Every structure is written in C-alpha cells, then in structure tokens.
Short mmCIF file of all heavy atoms in Angstrom, two decimals:
data_model
loop_
_atom_site.label_atom_id
_atom_site.label_comp_id
_atom_site.label_asym_id
_atom_site.label_seq_id
_atom_site.Cartn_x
_atom_site.Cartn_y
_atom_site.Cartn_z
N TYR A 1 -31.98 25.23 193.31
CA TYR A 1 -31.73 23.92 193.91
C TYR A 1 -30.32 23.87 194.45
O TYR A 1 -29.48 24.71 194.15
CB TYR A 1 -31.96 22.80 192.88
CG TYR A 1 -30.93 22.76 191.76
CD1 TYR A 1 -29.81 21.94 191.83
CD2 TYR A 1 -31.07 23.56 190.63
CE1 TYR A 1 -28.87 21.90 190.82
CE2 TYR A 1 -30.14 23.53 189.60
CZ TYR A 1 -29.04 22.69 189.70
OH TYR A 1 -28.11 22.67 188.69
N GLY A 2 -30.05 22.82 195.24
CA GLY A 2 -28.73 22.61 195.81
C GLY A 2 -28.73 22.90 197.30
O GLY A 2 -29.54 23.68 197.81
N GLY A 3 -27.81 22.23 198.03
CA GLY A 3 -27.73 22.42 199.47
C GLY A 3 -26.61 21.60 200.06
O GLY A 3 -25.60 21.32 199.39
N THR A 4 -26.79 21.15 201.28
CA THR A 4 -25.72 20.47 202.01
C THR A 4 -26.13 19.10 202.54
O THR A 4 -25.40 18.51 203.31
CB THR A 4 -25.27 21.34 203.20
OG1 THR A 4 -26.39 21.57 204.06
CG2 THR A 4 -24.71 22.67 202.73
N ASN A 5 -27.28 18.60 202.13
CA ASN A 5 -27.80 17.34 202.67
C ASN A 5 -27.75 16.22 201.63
O ASN A 5 -28.68 16.09 200.82
CB ASN A 5 -29.23 17.52 203.17
CG ASN A 5 -29.81 16.24 203.79
OD1 ASN A 5 -29.07 15.27 204.04
ND2 ASN A 5 -31.09 16.23 204.06
N PRO A 6 -26.72 15.38 201.64
CA PRO A 6 -26.65 14.30 200.64
C PRO A 6 -27.75 13.26 200.80
O PRO A 6 -28.06 12.54 199.86
CB PRO A 6 -25.27 13.68 200.89
CG PRO A 6 -24.94 14.03 202.29
CD PRO A 6 -25.56 15.37 202.54
N ASP A 7 -28.37 13.16 201.99
CA ASP A 7 -29.43 12.19 202.24
C ASP A 7 -30.82 12.76 202.01
O ASP A 7 -31.82 12.14 202.37
CB ASP A 7 -29.33 11.66 203.68
CG ASP A 7 -28.02 10.93 203.93
OD1 ASP A 7 -27.63 10.11 203.08
OD2 ASP A 7 -27.37 11.19 204.97
N ASP A 8 -30.91 13.91 201.40
CA ASP A 8 -32.19 14.56 201.16
C ASP A 8 -33.16 13.61 200.43
O ASP A 8 -32.74 12.83 199.57
CB ASP A 8 -31.96 15.82 200.33
CG ASP A 8 -33.16 16.74 200.28
OD1 ASP A 8 -33.86 16.83 201.31
OD2 ASP A 8 -33.37 17.38 199.25
N ASN A 9 -34.44 13.71 200.76
CA ASN A 9 -35.44 12.80 200.22
C ASN A 9 -36.51 13.60 199.49
O ASN A 9 -37.26 14.36 200.10
CB ASN A 9 -36.08 12.00 201.35
CG ASN A 9 -37.08 10.96 200.87
OD1 ASN A 9 -37.44 10.92 199.71
ND2 ASN A 9 -37.52 10.12 201.79
N SER A 10 -36.58 13.41 198.15
CA SER A 10 -37.61 14.07 197.34
C SER A 10 -38.74 13.14 196.98
O SER A 10 -39.63 13.52 196.21
CB SER A 10 -36.98 14.64 196.05
OG SER A 10 -36.04 15.65 196.35
N GLY A 11 -38.72 11.89 197.53
CA GLY A 11 -39.84 10.98 197.30
C GLY A 11 -39.48 9.76 196.50
O GLY A 11 -38.36 9.23 196.58
N VAL A 12 -40.43 9.30 195.66
CA VAL A 12 -40.31 8.04 194.92
C VAL A 12 -40.83 8.22 193.50
O VAL A 12 -41.93 8.74 193.30
CB VAL A 12 -41.12 6.92 195.60
CG1 VAL A 12 -41.05 5.62 194.79
CG2 VAL A 12 -40.63 6.67 197.03
N LEU A 13 -40.06 7.78 192.52
CA LEU A 13 -40.55 7.52 191.15
C LEU A 13 -40.21 6.06 190.85
O LEU A 13 -39.04 5.70 190.75
CB LEU A 13 -39.86 8.43 190.12
CG LEU A 13 -40.68 9.61 189.59
CD1 LEU A 13 -40.91 10.61 190.70
CD2 LEU A 13 -39.97 10.27 188.41
N ARG A 14 -41.26 5.25 190.74
CA ARG A 14 -41.03 3.82 190.48
C ARG A 14 -42.14 3.32 189.55
O ARG A 14 -43.30 3.60 189.76
CB ARG A 14 -41.03 3.05 191.80
CG ARG A 14 -40.76 1.56 191.65
CD ARG A 14 -40.28 0.92 192.95
NE ARG A 14 -40.96 1.44 194.13
CZ ARG A 14 -40.39 1.47 195.34
NH1 ARG A 14 -39.16 1.03 195.53
NH2 ARG A 14 -41.06 1.96 196.38
N TYR A 15 -41.73 2.60 188.53
CA TYR A 15 -42.66 2.16 187.47
C TYR A 15 -43.40 3.36 186.91
O TYR A 15 -44.61 3.50 187.04
CB TYR A 15 -43.61 1.08 187.99
CG TYR A 15 -42.93 -0.25 188.23
CD1 TYR A 15 -42.77 -0.74 189.51
CD2 TYR A 15 -42.46 -1.01 187.16
CE1 TYR A 15 -42.14 -1.94 189.76
CE2 TYR A 15 -41.83 -2.23 187.38
CZ TYR A 15 -41.65 -2.68 188.68
OH TYR A 15 -41.02 -3.88 188.89
N VAL A 16 -42.62 4.24 186.26
CA VAL A 16 -43.14 5.48 185.69
C VAL A 16 -42.66 5.60 184.25
O VAL A 16 -41.48 5.38 183.96
CB VAL A 16 -42.66 6.71 186.51
CG1 VAL A 16 -43.02 8.01 185.79
CG2 VAL A 16 -43.26 6.69 187.92
N ARG A 17 -43.58 5.96 183.37
CA ARG A 17 -43.21 6.29 181.98
C ARG A 17 -43.42 7.78 181.74
O ARG A 17 -44.42 8.35 182.15
CB ARG A 17 -44.07 5.50 180.98
CG ARG A 17 -43.85 4.00 181.02
CD ARG A 17 -44.24 3.34 179.69
NE ARG A 17 -45.55 3.72 179.21
CZ ARG A 17 -46.67 3.01 179.39
NH1 ARG A 17 -46.62 1.87 180.09
NH2 ARG A 17 -47.82 3.42 178.90
N ILE A 18 -42.44 8.38 181.06
CA ILE A 18 -42.49 9.81 180.72
C ILE A 18 -42.36 9.90 179.20
O ILE A 18 -41.28 9.65 178.66
CB ILE A 18 -41.35 10.57 181.43
CG1 ILE A 18 -41.40 10.33 182.95
CG2 ILE A 18 -41.42 12.06 181.12
CD1 ILE A 18 -40.17 10.83 183.69
N GLU A 19 -43.43 10.23 178.52
CA GLU A 19 -43.49 10.14 177.05
C GLU A 19 -43.63 11.52 176.40
O GLU A 19 -44.42 12.34 176.86
CB GLU A 19 -44.67 9.26 176.62
CG GLU A 19 -44.66 7.87 177.23
CD GLU A 19 -45.94 7.10 177.00
OE1 GLU A 19 -46.96 7.71 176.63
OE2 GLU A 19 -45.93 5.86 177.21
N TYR A 20 -42.87 11.77 175.33
CA TYR A 20 -42.94 12.98 174.52
C TYR A 20 -42.65 14.27 175.30
O TYR A 20 -43.23 15.32 175.01
CB TYR A 20 -44.32 13.09 173.84
CG TYR A 20 -44.71 11.87 173.06
CD1 TYR A 20 -45.62 10.95 173.60
CD2 TYR A 20 -44.15 11.60 171.81
CE1 TYR A 20 -45.97 9.81 172.90
CE2 TYR A 20 -44.50 10.45 171.10
CZ TYR A 20 -45.43 9.56 171.66
OH TYR A 20 -45.77 8.42 170.97
N PRO A 21 -41.74 14.27 176.27
CA PRO A 21 -41.40 15.50 176.99
C PRO A 21 -40.32 16.28 176.22
O PRO A 21 -39.97 15.95 175.09
CB PRO A 21 -40.85 14.98 178.31
CG PRO A 21 -40.12 13.73 177.88
CD PRO A 21 -40.94 13.12 176.77
N GLY A 22 -39.78 17.33 176.89
CA GLY A 22 -38.62 18.04 176.33
C GLY A 22 -38.96 19.23 175.50
O GLY A 22 -38.26 19.56 174.54
N ILE A 23 -40.05 19.94 175.83
CA ILE A 23 -40.44 21.13 175.07
C ILE A 23 -39.36 22.21 175.22
O ILE A 23 -38.65 22.27 176.22
CB ILE A 23 -41.80 21.65 175.54
CG1 ILE A 23 -42.45 22.52 174.47
CG2 ILE A 23 -41.68 22.40 176.86
CD1 ILE A 23 -43.92 22.82 174.73
N ALA A 24 -39.21 23.05 174.20
CA ALA A 24 -38.28 24.16 174.26
C ALA A 24 -38.91 25.29 175.05
O ALA A 24 -39.88 25.91 174.61
CB ALA A 24 -37.91 24.62 172.87
#
C-alpha cells in the first residue's frame, strides 16, 4: 500500500459493525 494521491477513493463504510475480529 501507499502512493502519491491524497484524494484516493477506496469507497464507503457507513453504518457498519465489525465484531470479534483481530485473529493472530
């Protein structure tokens, strides 16, 4: 990841729940 475009658009996450993540 990384680059030179500060206005880069990866989409939308809105009204999202993320439960029990973080596996090793």
Side-chain angles (χ1 to χ4, degrees):
Y1 68 95
T4 59
N5 182 10
D7 298 315
D8 194 36
N9 183 352
S10 296
V12 177
L13 257 67
R14 182 159 39 208
Y15 289 111
V16 172
R17 295 204 310 263
I18 305 169
E19 304 170 344
Y20 307 102
I23 201 168

